[in-house]
Amino acid sequence: GEDRLRCEACLSYCHVFCALANPEATCPTCARAARAPACPAGARRVVSARGFAVFARSDARCRDETIVREVVGDGAYERPAMGFEVVPGETWLDVGAHIGVFSSLCLQAGADVVAVEPDADNFRLLLANGAANAVHDAGAEVKALNVAVTDRKEDYTTLYRHPRGIAFRHSTERRLISREPDWPTAAVAATSLQRLIDAVSYTHLRA
């Protein structure tokens, strides 16, 4: 659009207040690419339908690429007519951030993110995707919290991990999972939604 400029080297877009408005400046996306994080172990780089990449687990059983397609390609969480739209300058609270696909979408749009994810392996990829997709032009940043959000006042809780490794189906609510007996468990740090809301400043919540 008329409010964006494009770098011919990396084909990324920048807002007019970005450094690209200065023809003498180096494209920040190109500079960021030079110091981009290495691909985490067990993961591969997946290019989304909107052109930006995320790190997803190579193991197809985890179904990370399903989330990339649904969140980015299908716009599963975007409803502009209802005011649920990611725009630059906002701050999103992403509860249950998984590997950071929606958080990456927000960062690419120029919105800040507070991303909350309890599972250690998901969180590892969330950190990598946050570092890779923090957008330069609007100064978008991500703050990642490795905690579970519950409706109880507790500092730790039990995370039930999906027995077939489908990471977006991990849950802290025993009643919400199937009655299969072999859900591995892990003790994870926890906070209540109210405590989280009181602690961070945000304009939109995705949970």
Side-chain angles (χ1 to χ4, degrees):
E2 62 182 17
D3 61 339
R4 296 176 77 83
L5 298 171
R6 192 178 195 185
C7 172
E8 294 304 320
C10 68
L11 304 182
S12 67
Y13 286 92
C14 301
H15 298 284
V16 291
F17 52 81
C18 172
L20 277 188
N22 177 0
E24 302 297 321
T26 300
C27 171
T29 295
C30 293
R32 180 167 53 85
R35 60 177 186 273
C39 184
R44 69 188 192 92
R45 188 172 178 270
V46 176
V47 178
S48 72
R50 301 190 195 181
F52 66 88
V54 295
F55 297 120
R57 278 168 287 238
S58 302
D59 188 344
R61 292 174 298 177
C62 298
R63 295 174 61 182
D64 289 349
E65 292 189 45
T66 298
I67 298 300
V68 177
R69 288 194 300 271
E70 291 180 354
V71 173
V72 183
D74 299 341
Y77 297 116
E78 296 172 276
R79 297 291 183 271
M82 301 171 63
F84 203 75
E85 181 180 18
V86 180
V87 298
E90 295 182 331
T91 300
W92 281 78
L93 177 56
D94 188 9
V95 177
H98 187 234
I99 63 171
V101 178
F102 182 74
S103 293
S104 294
L105 186 153
C106 291
L107 291 167
Q108 284 285 330
D112 291 339
V113 186
V114 178
V116 185
E117 171 57 45
D119 180 70
D121 197 47
N122 284 347
F123 190 74
R124 175 179 67 96
L125 292 177
L126 168 62
L127 290 176
N129 284 322
N133 286 292
V135 166
H136 57 272
D137 55 353
E141 297 180 348
V142 59
K143 179 179 181 180
L145 303 175
N146 189 198
V147 297
V149 177
T150 74
D151 58 1
R152 302 174 294 276
K153 292 183 178 180
E154 55 188 2
D155 294 324
Y156 293 90
T157 192
T158 299
L159 177 68
Y160 297 91
R161 306 185 83 248
H162 194 274
R164 295 192 300 278
I166 304 177
F168 61 83
R169 290 187 176 171
H170 298 339
S171 178
T172 58
E173 297 297 329
R174 186 68 180 89
R175 67 180 183 273
L176 297 181
I177 67 176
S178 73
R179 300 201 176 274
E180 296 178 60
D182 55 348
W183 284 65
T185 61
V188 295
T191 188
S192 69
L193 180 59
Q194 189 58 58
R195 285 167 64 186
L196 182 63
I197 289 173
D198 291 343
V200 301
S201 177
Y202 67 97
T203 52
H204 294 283
L205 167 68
R206 188 206 72 85

